[in-house]
């Protein structure tokens, strides 16, 4: 469900090549909003979608993406379990993983941080806020630096804009 859909002036996130993105998300509305946000940012990307944790891990057997966005509450295998498996595999050492959640639970945040997620993104309830949040994430040149922010900069977004 899209609440308070706000269309803003498109922003261009500077990239020199196509970004291969994986989004593990079971809510089709959230997938649609994510696609809209990428379009707003004018990111040249290929979006690969996994509907649940098992689909994600199967997809990652054949694909090394540039970045993974991982919903914490996906079915079959939750996001934190997937994150642990991804981080155990050295193939993905240079792949940033952003956990996505509608909750700002300190337990989830601390688990994500201790299991080496790169960011914890609070789901936004409008397109404008998601565009702002994704702009912050894509402003990092992930190909040059694998960034792990300190815990006080780890959470992007806030519950006021949560879905």
């Amino acid at each position: 469900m899209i609440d308070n859909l706000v269309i803003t002036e498109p922003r261009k996130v500077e990239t020199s090549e196509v970004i291969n993105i994986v989004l593990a998300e079971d809510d089709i509305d959230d997938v649609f909003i994510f696609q809209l946000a990428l379009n707003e940012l004018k990111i040249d990307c290929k979006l690969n979608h996994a509907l649940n944790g098992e689909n994600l891990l199967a997809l990652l057997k054949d694909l090394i993406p540039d970045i993974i966005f991982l919903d914490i509450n996906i079915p079959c295998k939750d996001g934190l379990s997937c994150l642990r498996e991804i981080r155990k595999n050295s193939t993905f050492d240079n792949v940033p993983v952003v956990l996505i959640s509608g909750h700002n639970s300190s337990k989830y945040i601390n688990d994500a941080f201790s299991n080496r997620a790169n960011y914890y993104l609070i789901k936004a309830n409008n397109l404008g806020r998601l565009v702002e949040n994704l702009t912050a994430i894509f402003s990092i040149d992930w190909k040059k630096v694998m960034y792990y922010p300190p815990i006080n900069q780890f959470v992007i977004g806030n519950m006021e804009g949560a879905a």
Side-chain angles (χ1 to χ4, degrees), residues 28-63:
I28 298 304
D29 289 336
D30 287 344
V31 174
F32 177 71
I33 293 169
F34 193 87
Q35 289 173 315
L36 287 174
L38 292 176
N39 290 341
E40 282 284 311
L41 289 171
K42 298 192 180 304
I43 291 177
D44 190 8
C45 67
K46 178 175 187 216
L47 182 61
N48 303 277
H49 175 237
L51 200 54
N52 61 52
E54 289 177 2
N55 291 152
L56 170 66
L57 296 175
L59 177 65
L60 294 178
K61 288 180 181 177
D62 299 320
L63 174 70

Side-chain angles (χ1 to χ4, degrees), residues 14-136:
E14 296 299 323
T15 59
S16 59
E17 56 189 58
V18 174
I19 299 172
N20 201 344
I21 299 170
V22 168
L23 173 62
E25 172 62 69
D26 62 313
D27 185 324
I28 298 304
D29 289 336
D30 287 344
V31 174
F32 177 71
I33 293 169
F34 193 87
Q35 289 173 315
L36 287 174
L38 292 176
N39 290 341
E40 282 284 311
L41 289 171
K42 298 192 180 304
I43 291 177
D44 190 8
C45 67
K46 178 175 187 216
L47 182 61
N48 303 277
H49 175 237
L51 200 54
N52 61 52
E54 289 177 2
N55 291 152
L56 170 66
L57 296 175
L59 177 65
L60 294 178
K61 288 180 181 177
D62 299 320
L63 174 70
I64 301 173
D66 294 310
I67 189 165
I68 300 169
F69 289 87
L70 176 55
D71 182 19
I72 207 162
N73 287 318
I74 53 176
C76 298
K77 186 177 280 260
D78 68 78
L80 285 168
S81 297
C82 289
L83 174 64
R84 286 184 199 101
E85 285 200 38
I86 291 166
R87 289 302 184 219
K88 284 181 188 175
N89 186 337
S90 63
T91 302
F92 302 105
D93 281 354
N94 294 316
V95 177
V97 179
V98 177
L99 252 60
I100 306 170
S101 180
H103 307 285
N104 67 349
S105 157
S106 59
K107 179 186 178 341
Y108 283 155
I109 292 168
N110 289 329
D111 281 351
F113 186 81
S114 66
N115 283 288
R116 296 181 21 233
N118 296 85
Y119 278 111
Y120 187 94
L121 176 63
I122 303 288
K123 287 185 179 182
N125 71 349
N126 68 61
L127 181 61
R129 184 152 300 153
L130 179 58
V131 168
E132 289 174 17
N133 294 342
L134 290 179
T135 298

